[in-house]
Amino acid sequence: AAQAETMGFQTEVKQLLQLMIHSLYSNREIFLRELISNAADACDKLRYEALDNDALYGNDSELRVEIEHDAEAGTVTVRDNGIGMSRDEVIQNLGTIARSGTAEFLQQLSGEKQKDAKLIGQFGVGFYSGFIVSDEITVRTRRVDQEQGVEWHSRGEGEFDIADIDKPERGTEIVLHLKEDAKEFADAERLKHLVRTYSDHIEVPVRMPKVEKAQDEEGNEIEGSETVTWETVNEATALWVRPKEEISEDEYKAFYKHVAHDFSDPLIWSHNKVEGTLEYTSLLYVPGRAPFDLNQREGVRGLKLYAQRVFIMDDAEQFLPLYLRFIKGVVDSKDLSLNISRELLQKDPQVDKLKSALTKRSLDMLKKLAKDEDAYQTFWNAFGNVLKEGPAEDFANRDKIAELLRFSSTHTDSATQDQSLAGYVERMKEGQQKIYYLVADGFNAASHSPHLEIFRKKGIEVLLLHDRIDEWLMSHLTEYDGKALVDVAKGDLDLDEMADEEEKKAQEETAKAKAPLLERVKAALGDEVQEVRVTHRLTDSPACVVLSEHDMGYQMRRLMEAAGQ
Ligand code: ADP
Ligand code: MG
């Protein structure tokens, strides 16, 4: 063929292939789901491009995915009449991994099967999973708007060949040459079962050929009379359109894996059809673990956007605030124009309304999840630090967000962040008006802080904040349930309301007796300090440094210093 060349995979692809083949062996049937998922995406993309160019359909407007097999040859073929790929797209999509942060991510992989299977799942293995069951893969494709077809072929060992071919039909055909130990997949029943298990919810029909032979009068099959009819094997209606009562847990979970490119189950989901001034359907999920690029604020995020059931775009980030960037799912709006672009989305007032509605739904879903302590802890460990950005970003919802926060506390004296503000309030002492917290660099520094002495003595609980973001969080969260949140390292503590008469007297006497000492210390420290005071907040340590109430906290200072301020 013309224009044939051999090219090397990007290093990361080689690494990924190696690890995947080893760690996903016991899950290897997922290859079919991944290929069907790509084929369905390709159909969605064509449908979208054809919105303002109907001619793209040519004489073939019935979008579909077809699966065929050949037991003798040991092959499985997945074919679609979607958008197809150009030569450059093939090289880009099937030769590299474009996501940023990939190299670092792959370095975390250890070669331990169980662990890596989980990590690789975070990554969305996609097309390359075909190599778990194949020793050779051939891809033939033609992009809808191009004349030239392309063939890609590889043994998954470090390089691939690419060549121009004739391909009259648009779309993509992927032929898997099954490995010796994976020949079992070249079987109609097995394939059908896999489609129903993993791809039932895919909106385009997934078809398989059914070979029938005509029968003579006595009911015997007539040789040479085979006719092939195509049978749709999946449900083929968009899952979110179906009534909730008819959708099983397994279907919801399978759909999550499709939209989130994740492997493991979600923790919870929320499916809503809303009618009225704002009409939309949403299906939102909370994943069970963090993707590897969660902390990159510009990482991939957002919902799959549909307008009147037509796919518009992936990763539409305009529908949720940044602090909910871990939420995955679909929003299907009745009110958005089919021609909406990313730029237009930013200006559309409907989008703001949808965003505030979906934010509410997400927070409600988390509230519901919080009823299951174990599941919520899994969520919190993965995404707590992201949710902590909430009060600063979303003032209007800060009370709802505050309900969802979890902290370490002197109540448990454990580094695990599992105490809610509501729990704290319930445990408040008689007469206690405020919620006390302390910010430190790490849990140990927090729990051994001299600032805690008086609180421990009086049996008053203090929240122990030890994440980088905590001070930022607390600067935007000044009260909860009508009670002020107070940093124990700042200003006066007003613990007096809780001191009894005798204690107060003793404190006054100490203050009087120590006046000369204070003068001497003040003289010695001079301008280094603002003020020297007798304190009742220490029981064992002789002295401690306290910030005045409006000073910037230690963490913020350090952040500013690091930024060169
Ligand atoms: P993902 O689906 O998460 O993007 P994949 O590895 O599954 O990752 O696929 C990589 C890319 O290859 C896709 O994003 C798409 O651009 C392209 N691709 C894969 N399969 C097809 C197909 N059947 N038709 C068109 N493009 C495809
Ligand atoms: Mg994919």
Side-chain angles (χ1 to χ4, degrees):
Q3 283 279 330
E5 56 183 316
T6 299
M7 302 178 80
F9 283 121
Q10 188 191 24
T11 324
E12 282 92 334
V13 177
K14 276 187 260 178
Q15 274 175 290
L16 180 68
L17 282 171
Q18 276 299 317
L19 278 157
M20 203 175 49
I21 290 166
H22 293 110
S23 46
L24 292 182
Y25 186 82
S26 53
N27 270 319
R28 58 195 187 147
E29 61 194 36
I30 56 117
F31 77 90
L32 193 67
R33 170 186 90 201
E34 295 297 327
L35 297 184
I36 293 175
S37 171
N38 286 348
D41 288 347
C43 292
D44 271 349
K45 286 177 196 160
L46 177 65
R47 190 180 300 144
Y48 179 63
E49 286 210 3
L51 283 176
D52 42 29
N53 183 7
D54 204 42
L56 289 179
Y57 284 123
N59 56 8
D60 184 13
S61 61
E62 238 179 85
L63 296 172
R64 61 189 179 265
V65 179
E66 290 174 354
I67 301 178
E68 280 188 279
H69 71 280
D70 181 335
E72 245 161 77
T75 59
V76 170
T77 300
V78 178
R79 186 183 304 123
D80 65 71
N81 59 351
I83 194 153
M85 283 178 276
S86 66
R87 188 184 179 98
D88 288 346
E89 285 172 330
V90 171
I91 294 171
Q92 177 65 32
N93 295 331
L94 311 185
T96 67
I97 301 173
R99 271 176 92 171
S100 63
T102 306
E104 302 94 88
F105 165 75
L106 286 167
Q107 266 155 21
Q108 298 170 22
L109 299 180
S110 62
E112 268 173 68
K113 262 193 198 173
Q114 291 250 307
K115 225 172 99 201
D116 289 349
K118 284 210 177 124
L119 282 171
I120 279 193
Q122 300 189 350
F123 191 79
V125 281
F127 169 78
Y128 299 110
S129 65
F131 283 108
I132 310 175
V133 293
S134 320
D135 42 27
E136 241 179 281
I137 298 181
T138 308
V139 178
R140 295 189 191 92
T141 185
R142 182 172 69 78
R143 200 182 146 88
V144 63
D145 51 6
Q146 306 212 338
E147 306 250 299
Q148 185 63 61
V150 184
E151 182 173 286
W152 176 103
H153 171 262
S154 174
R155 296 178 173 276
E157 280 167 352
E159 51 187 38
F160 58 89
D161 303 315
I162 188 159
D164 287 348
I165 54 162
D166 276 339
K167 189 174 184 300
E169 336 73 53
R170 68 159 189 266
T172 305
E173 174 177 273
I174 296 178
V175 184
L176 306 173
H177 304 265
L178 297 172
K179 289 179 180 172
E180 210 45 59
D181 66 0
K183 294 268 199 274
E184 62 187 81
F185 290 108
D187 175 81
E189 287 313 308
R190 185 76 194 269
L191 291 168
K192 210 180 280 180
H193 177 72
L194 290 179
V195 172
R196 292 201 175 126
T197 310
Y198 292 116
S199 309
D200 218 21
H201 60 271
I202 296 276
E203 195 182 1
V204 283
V206 178
R207 313 196 312 187
M208 288 177 60
K210 197 169 163 186
V211 182
E212 274 166 329
K213 290 181 184 169
Q215 293 179 350
D216 60 23
E217 283 116 39
E218 277 136 51
N220 301 316
E221 291 178 343
I222 304 168
E223 281 306 313
S225 70
E226 287 90 353
T227 51
V228 176
T229 52
W230 289 91
E231 183 192 17
T232 298
V233 279
N234 63 332
E235 177 97 17
T237 45
L239 182 98
W240 65 92
V241 176
R242 291 163 51 197
K244 274 199 233 187
E245 315 77 65
E246 284 175 19
I247 306 174
S248 71
E249 290 220 346
D250 283 343
E251 286 178 296
Y252 276 121
K253 288 178 183 172
F255 185 67
Y256 165 76
K257 290 170 186 174
H258 172 65
V259 289
H261 298 269
D262 190 3
F263 235 77
S264 48
D265 289 338
L267 289 173
I268 192 170
W269 52 86
S270 166
H271 183 188
N272 296 95
K273 271 181 214 182
V274 178
E275 281 165 18
T277 44
L278 193 63
E279 292 211 359
Y280 69 93
T281 301
S282 62
L283 174 51
L284 305 177
Y285 290 92
V286 179
R289 58 167 186 226
F292 71 96
D293 56 0
L294 178 71
N295 290 320
Q296 301 167 334
R297 283 165 66 100
E298 51 311 314
V300 180
R301 63 189 186 93
L303 303 175
K304 227 174 158 66
L305 173 65
Y306 289 75
Q308 301 153 50
R309 309 254 320 266
V310 177
F311 168 77
I312 305 293
M313 68 181 78
D314 282 311
D315 313 321
E317 70 274 355
Q318 295 81 355
F319 295 91
L320 285 172
L322 208 46
Y323 74 94
L324 293 175
R325 62 183 174 275
F326 49 83
I327 301 277
K328 300 285 185 193
V330 168
V331 55
D332 187 347
S333 160
K334 268 245 165 78
D335 309 308
L336 289 176
S337 142
L338 292 178
N339 295 314
I340 196 132
S341 64
R342 270 181 211 275
E343 296 70 55
L344 287 174
L345 273 182
Q346 270 155 19
K347 297 183 205 130
D348 196 315
Q350 289 292 339
V351 173
D352 281 338
K353 287 184 199 150
L354 278 165
K355 181 175 178 178
S356 79
L358 295 175
T359 300
K360 249 199 196 94
R361 296 238 173 259
S362 304
L363 293 173
D364 287 346
M365 170 165 63
L366 291 174
K367 187 172 172 185
K368 195 169 153 206
L369 181 65
K371 291 184 183 144
D372 175 346
E373 267 177 42
D374 287 345
Y376 196 73
Q377 202 59 42
T378 303
F379 158 75
W380 184 260
N381 294 343
F383 302 112
N385 269 343
V386 177
L387 198 65
K388 283 178 182 176
E389 295 169 14
E393 186 183 357
D394 188 356
F395 194 72
N397 282 309
R398 79 191 178 290
D399 291 340
K400 279 192 169 185
I401 302 166
E403 297 281 349
L404 297 169
L405 300 173
R406 296 292 180 270
F407 302 99
S408 301
S409 151
T410 54
H411 178 61
T412 54
D413 260 325
S414 143
T416 311
Q417 300 177 17
D418 57 1
Q419 299 302 310
S420 65
L421 290 170
Y424 183 104
V425 169
E426 254 172 55
R427 292 186 293 270
M428 278 171 50
K429 299 276 273 198
E430 184 77 31
Q432 184 182 344
Q433 313 279 340
K434 295 173 178 168
I435 298 172
Y436 295 101
Y437 68 89
L438 178 130
V439 186
D441 264 357
F443 173 73
N444 282 328
S447 68
H448 293 109
S449 165
H451 291 298
L452 290 180
E453 288 174 8
I454 184 72
F455 290 90
R456 291 210 193 268
K457 186 178 157 211
K458 288 181 178 282
I460 298 172
E461 180 173 355
V462 178
L463 301 174
L464 304 175
L465 312 193
H466 51 90
D467 277 331
R468 272 186 71 163
I469 189 175
D470 284 338
E471 195 165 324
W472 171 250
L473 163 68
M474 296 320 270
S475 67
H476 292 90
L477 194 71
T478 48
E479 68 163 63
Y480 170 78
D481 192 18
K483 294 161 188 73
L485 286 146
V486 176
D487 184 341
V488 301
K490 284 187 185 176
D492 233 349
L493 284 180
D494 302 337
L495 287 173
D496 300 351
E497 303 118 44
M498 288 152 66
D500 50 36
E501 280 308 307
E502 231 165 280
E503 235 177 311
K504 275 187 192 161
K505 230 189 203 160
Q507 289 179 357
E508 274 160 31
E509 268 160 32
T510 319
K512 239 186 257 164
K514 300 292 180 198
L517 174 65
L518 281 194
E519 286 309 318
R520 290 213 307 275
V521 176
K522 235 183 249 177
L525 293 173
D527 286 345
E528 311 257 330
V529 294
Q530 242 172 43
E531 202 190 342
V532 179
R533 271 197 304 229
V534 169
T535 180
H536 309 291
R537 64 169 96 197
L538 299 178
T539 58
D540 299 326
S541 308
C544 68
V545 177
V546 178
L547 295 173
S548 81
E549 202 163 341
H550 303 293
D551 271 352
M552 204 183 283
Y554 294 115
Q555 282 190 339
M556 290 282 260
R557 273 176 199 228
R558 230 163 280 148
L559 280 177
M560 300 290 273
E561 274 165 22
Q565 308 250 335

